[in-house]
């Protein structure tokens, strides 16, 4: 019987994982500079949490959730991170400890979408949630942070699309205006959009179907129906982004597939690298109202998430540098024991050490050392242990020398660190 990973779920193995780790490090470094702290929440949450927050009439809730029952509880593998993070925020009364909370998270998410390049059923996100600040300055700071992060990791050809959905009163008004525009054209809409016209007409805005795009010609723009504080917030956001010099493009057709959004929405796209059709590498928006909806105080919030797989597709393929390995090849039983002590001393100095404890022939061990691209191999036989010496083979320069055991650690450190070694 051959077992295979589930369709749309991938193994990420050594060789590839280094790029993930470098990405995650860069993300942590960036967002921590902005005061975000990591929160880890369970991968499984009550199904009702996602229905309540993401919304009943969304694609995610209608057809993509991995849901199951256990011990009479209806559970779901999280399709996104915001719902669980806000559930934790409310559950632990974090608002009573601080007026503004900045949390980040990373981990797997699950959506039963049709798998394609850049679209998976288990995929990984990094994300941030900022709770307790209603002003457009925080929206602009967040969008700018995302753009600077992409610059830092070297993703070009970025497009930052922003829109506003207004507040609770705008959505029904805009929905009404849209329905009035589309109802006379309903027969020309795609089958999906004919259904959406009844359940979630805003979703028709980002349909890629040419029939829907045609029917949307001349439709009212959401920005036209913004009023009062919502309109002020939108203008405030644009002013802040311009002042920061953040590149962006307002797009009144931007809607996103989650119902909790209010006011600011944004999405980051790129045409770089191998990203292809799944070019949305991140998205987010304001979700004032969700904290209260989940039983907490009425606090404004904004957040975003980035898809790691898509970003790595957009980045150059260059593998992340690996720290050089010092290979240790013991021959004989005493040498084998002594090799473990020597390896410990080297690791205490920050050197990556691979000791070959198989009891293999020198030839076989050297083959492995070459396979690991180890610049240095230390050979010690029982005779060397007896005489307090170690043989150092330079696998790049092909030289070799016999050195006193007492000097060997310093020698290896000098060679590998000199080669840019421990910086990794
Ligand atoms: P989202 O737009 O659904 O937003 O997902 C964010 C990002 O996750 C997408 O831009 C994409 O890069 C990646 N992504 C989504 N689905 C897949 C998939 N099937 N395969 C690979 N990558 C995928 C959210 O999830 C919101 N929670 C963001 C947010 C946080 N809004 C406020 N706070």
């Amino acid at each position: 019987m051959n077992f295979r990973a589930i369709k749309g779920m991938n193994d990420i193995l050594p060789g590839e994982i280094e790029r993930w780790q470098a990405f995650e490090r860069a993300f942590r470094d960036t967002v921590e500079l902005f005061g975000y702290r990591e929160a880890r929440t369970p991968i499984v949450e009550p199904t009702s949490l996602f229905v309540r927050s993401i919304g009943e009439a969304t694609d995610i809730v209608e057809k993509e959730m991995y849901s199951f029952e256990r011990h009479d509880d209806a559970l779901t593998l999280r399709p996104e991170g915001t719902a669980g993070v806000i559930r934790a925020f409310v559950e632990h009364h974090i608002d009573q400890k601080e007026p503004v909370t900045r949390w980040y998270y990373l981990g797997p998410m699950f959506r039963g979408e049709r798998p394609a390049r850049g679209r998976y059923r288990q995929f990984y996100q990094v994300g941030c949630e900022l709770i307790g600040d209603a002003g457009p300055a925080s929206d602009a700071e967040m969008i700018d942070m995302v753009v600077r992060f992409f610059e830092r990791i070297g993703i070009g050809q970025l497009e930052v699309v922003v829109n506003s959905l207004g507040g609770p009163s705008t959505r029904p008004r805009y929905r009404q205006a849209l329905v009035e525009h589309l109802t006379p054209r309903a027969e020309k809409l795609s089958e999906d959009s004919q259904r959406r016209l009844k359940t979630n007409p805003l979703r028709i805005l980002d349909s890629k179907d040419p029939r829907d795009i045609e029917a949307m010609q001349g439709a009212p723009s959401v920005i036209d129906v913004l009023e009062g504080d919502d309109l002020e917030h939108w203008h405030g956001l644009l002013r802040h982004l311009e002042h920061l010099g953040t590149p962006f493009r307002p797009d009144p057709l931007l809607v996103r597939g989650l119902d909790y959004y209010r006011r600011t929405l944004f999405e980051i796209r790129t045409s770089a690298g191998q990203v292809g059709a799944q070019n949305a590498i991140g998205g987010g928006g304001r979700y004032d109202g969700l904290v209260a909806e989940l039983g907490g105080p009425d606090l404004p919030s904004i957040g975003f998430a980035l898809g790691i797989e898509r970003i790595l597709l957009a980045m150059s393929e260059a593998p992340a540098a690996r720290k050089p390995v010092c290979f240790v090849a013991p021959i004989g039983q005493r040498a084998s024991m002594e090799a473990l002590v020597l390896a410990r001393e080297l690791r205490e100095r920050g050197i990556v050490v691979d000791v070959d404890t198989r009891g293999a022939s020198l030839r076989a061990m050297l083959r492995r050392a070459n396979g690991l691209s180890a610049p240095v191999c230390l050979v010690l036989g029982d005779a060397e242990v007896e005489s307090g010496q170690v043989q150092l083979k330079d696998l790049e320069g092909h030289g070799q020398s016999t050195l006193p055991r007492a000097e060997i650690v310093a020698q290896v450190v000098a060679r590998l660190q000199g080669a840019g070694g421990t910086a990794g």
Side-chain angles (χ1 to χ4, degrees), residues 303-416:
F304 69 89
L306 313 178
I308 303 185
E309 289 87 350
R310 291 188 191 174
I311 293 169
L312 294 180
L313 282 170
M315 286 172 78
S316 75
E317 288 286 332
R322 223 191 132 191
K323 281 187 179 186
V325 178
C326 172
F327 196 82
V328 179
I331 307 162
Q333 273 187 10
R334 271 196 71 190
S336 189
M337 286 202 289
E338 177 53 25
L340 295 181
V341 177
L342 175 57
R344 184 169 63 195
E345 288 173 28
L346 286 161
R347 291 181 187 125
E348 279 165 1
R349 300 289 305 273
I351 302 289
V352 180
V353 186
D354 193 320
V355 189
D356 199 327
T357 47
R358 296 176 298 167
S361 70
L362 181 59
R363 226 179 113 114
M365 289 194 285
L366 286 176
R367 209 176 309 128
R368 257 197 79 210
N370 279 316
L372 291 168
S373 304
V376 166
C377 175
L378 303 180
V379 180
L380 63 170
D382 288 347
E384 273 105 350
V385 175
E386 198 70 47
S387 62
Q389 291 181 315
V390 176
Q391 219 185 85
L392 186 151
K393 280 185 185 297
D394 178 347
L395 297 181
E396 284 170 341
H398 305 295
Q400 72 177 50
S401 44
T402 302
L403 297 166
R405 168 69 174 83
E407 284 173 25
I408 198 75
V409 172
Q411 276 285 342
V412 172
V413 169
R415 277 173 194 247
L416 294 194

Side-chain angles (χ1 to χ4, degrees), residues 80-82 105 111 113 118-120 123 125 128-129 256 258 260-261 280-285 287 303-307 309-310:
E80 57 102 52
T82 309
Y105 53 89
R111 296 183 194 174
E113 295 191 71
R119 188 170 61 214
Y120 309 105
F123 60 97
Q125 284 185 345
C128 287
E129 310 295 347
R256 299 188 12 79
L258 303 117
Y260 49 60
Y261 290 121
I281 52 177
Y287 51 92
F304 69 89
L306 313 178
E309 289 87 350
R310 291 188 191 174

Side-chain angles (χ1 to χ4, degrees), residues 275-295:
V275 72
Q278 307 306 320
N279 65 353
I281 52 177
R286 190 162 268 293
Y287 51 92
D288 304 348
L290 182 62
V291 180
E293 179 78 25
L294 298 184

